Amino acid sequence: MTSGHGSIVEQASGSRITGKTRLIGLFGSPVSHSRSPVMQNSVFEAMGLDYAYLAFDIGLADTARAIDALRLLDMRGANVTMPLKRAVIPHLDRLSPSAQLAGAVNVIVNDGGVLTGHITDGTGFMLSLAEKGIARRGQRMVLLGAGGAAIAVAIEAATEGMAAISLFNRRDDFHAEAERFAAELDRRFDSEIGIFDLDDRTLLADHVSRADILVNATPVGMEDTIDRMALPDTGVLRPDLVVCDLIYVPRETRLLREAAARGCVTVSGIGMQLYQAAPAFEMWTGRKMDIAVARRALFSGA
Ligand code: NAP
């Protein structure tokens, strides 16, 4: 990350930044681990686009002030990450249909002061499976977690014709809301969609035993939980199961290590990070993202 920061500082003090450079932000907390600034700035530079992308550590309490700042500074937009994906919604003017359905936003686009919220996480995840040649249509998926990213993945999985999507979440204050989401998705799509208690190990093992794809969509496995997994029992991992983690730092979580050791195909969240960024880039700049440059920057961290 040190060399990544170095290259951004170098660009900022060089000729690339002009009086007209538009700022794009990453809002959330924590954000210092994110490779999005390195990736986005590398592509802006390679494509000669007059934008700069910076990460801002914004907690929930400062959501309104961050959106006000976006308007005040006439920023072109922002990526939004935890814990703000839902919290920004009341402060925006419009939502895309997917963001409306997901109740979460990971991209804000500012068109002359009109702020529109989009969600590109689900598309990004499905493209990361497609890139590895993993089948989606007719498959059965178990998601651990039912937050913004899980719901976005569920929507896109249902859109692409997965047969069944089971969300397992902690039975806490959010569970009732997640149940309403799942019921709404089940009503809208042909897929069989349900939400279950993550602490019900027997039920979870049963669903995983019938699943083709298992996805961790909780933050368990990153930062201070780096040695942990949301999956309570590794005995359910079998070689024909595709195991994915939406976490991208570390690139290989404990869940992915355990799964690889049991012969599963594993998919890290880094592919999702790459592919969720491309539609956002296009909305901000009107240009298609140079995926090769983005991939190089993301994977090298340079
Ligand atoms: P979120 O909206 O805050 O949802 C987090 C989910 O994880 C919730 O269902 C939450 O349950 C659950 N959870 C949190 N701590 C848990 C724990 N200790 N045990 C069990 N469940 C727990 O966050 P999000 O935006 O969906 O993000 C989820 C993960 O996906 C994060 O790791 C994020 O970095 C990753 N992500 C990656 C990408 C990418 O591009 N690769 C994109 C988006 C997100 P409660 O509702 O009970 O709190």
Side-chain angles (χ1 to χ4, degrees):
M1 202 60 208
T2 318
S3 61
H5 273 303
S7 66
I8 293 171
V9 171
E10 209 173 278
Q11 287 165 14
S13 60
S15 59
R16 197 175 80 77
I17 303 294
T18 72
K20 293 181 187 160
T21 303
R22 295 288 300 278
L23 180 61
I24 297 170
L26 169 63
F27 292 169
S29 186
V31 289
S32 58
H33 66 281
S34 174
R35 291 202 173 102
S36 293
V38 171
M39 173 176 62
Q40 295 283 358
N41 287 309
S42 297
V43 186
F44 293 149
E45 188 176 28
M47 293 179 66
L49 297 172
D50 200 6
Y51 296 90
Y53 187 109
L54 289 178
F56 298 98
D57 199 299
I58 310 283
L60 267 182
D62 286 321
T63 309
R65 291 205 306 149
I67 301 298
D68 281 349
L70 192 152
R71 290 184 199 274
L72 179 69
L73 301 176
D74 193 26
M75 292 167 65
R76 179 65 180 118
N79 274 132
V80 181
T81 186
M82 293 190 304
L84 308 184
K85 286 181 161 178
R86 292 179 192 287
V88 293
I89 288 179
H91 307 285
L92 304 179
D93 302 301
R94 294 182 189 154
L95 290 179
S96 72
S98 290
Q100 178 92 50
L101 186 56
V105 157
N106 76 322
V107 180
I108 298 172
V109 180
N110 178 7
D111 290 307
V114 178
L115 304 189
T116 306
H118 301 262
I119 186 97
T120 62
D121 287 337
T123 329
F125 175 73
M126 297 303 277
L127 285 170
S128 76
L129 294 187
E131 182 191 43
K132 292 200 162 217
I134 295 163
R136 280 100 58 219
R137 178 163 289 279
Q139 302 290 287
R140 302 178 74 87
M141 175 187 274
V142 170
L143 281 153
L144 307 177
I151 297 286
V153 166
I155 291 171
E156 212 49 44
T159 305
E160 288 203 16
M162 281 210 186
I165 300 151
S166 307
L167 297 122
F168 280 80
N169 202 43
R170 300 186 289 196
R171 198 167 273 284
D172 62 3
D173 294 349
F174 181 67
H175 200 82
E177 199 184 328
E179 271 175 341
R180 279 194 295 280
F181 267 127
E184 176 64 15
L185 296 187
D186 191 51
R187 197 178 61 74
R188 285 189 185 227
F189 293 99
D190 292 337
S191 322
E192 189 188 305
I193 302 172
I195 179 137
F196 310 94
D197 185 355
L198 183 58
D199 292 325
D200 188 337
R201 290 182 175 213
T202 312
L203 193 62
L204 177 59
D206 174 51
H207 279 249
V208 176
S209 72
R210 290 180 286 121
D212 306 286
I213 302 171
L214 171 69
V215 184
N216 174 43
T218 77
V220 183
M222 64 188 283
E223 304 238 308
D224 50 347
T225 57
I226 204 151
D227 295 328
R228 289 179 44 208
M229 300 182 294
L231 182 72
D233 177 12
T234 53
V236 299
L237 300 173
R238 42 171 227 282
D240 62 335
L241 186 67
V242 174
V243 178
C244 315
D245 207 320
L246 302 195
I247 293 173
Y248 50 89
V249 177
R251 207 180 295 184
E252 190 179 50
T253 56
R254 179 171 163 209
L255 173 66
L256 295 190
R257 278 199 309 279
E258 300 267 2
R262 284 162 181 79
C264 307
V265 169
T266 61
V267 182
S268 156
I270 196 132
M272 172 177 176
Q273 199 193 18
L274 176 69
Y275 286 111
Q276 59 82 30
F281 182 96
E282 197 169 336
M283 286 188 271
W284 294 321
T285 66
R287 300 277 301 276
K288 285 226 176 296
M289 184 184 226
D290 186 328
I291 288 284
V293 173
R295 182 193 301 278
R296 251 194 325 273
L298 193 61
F299 280 66
S300 69

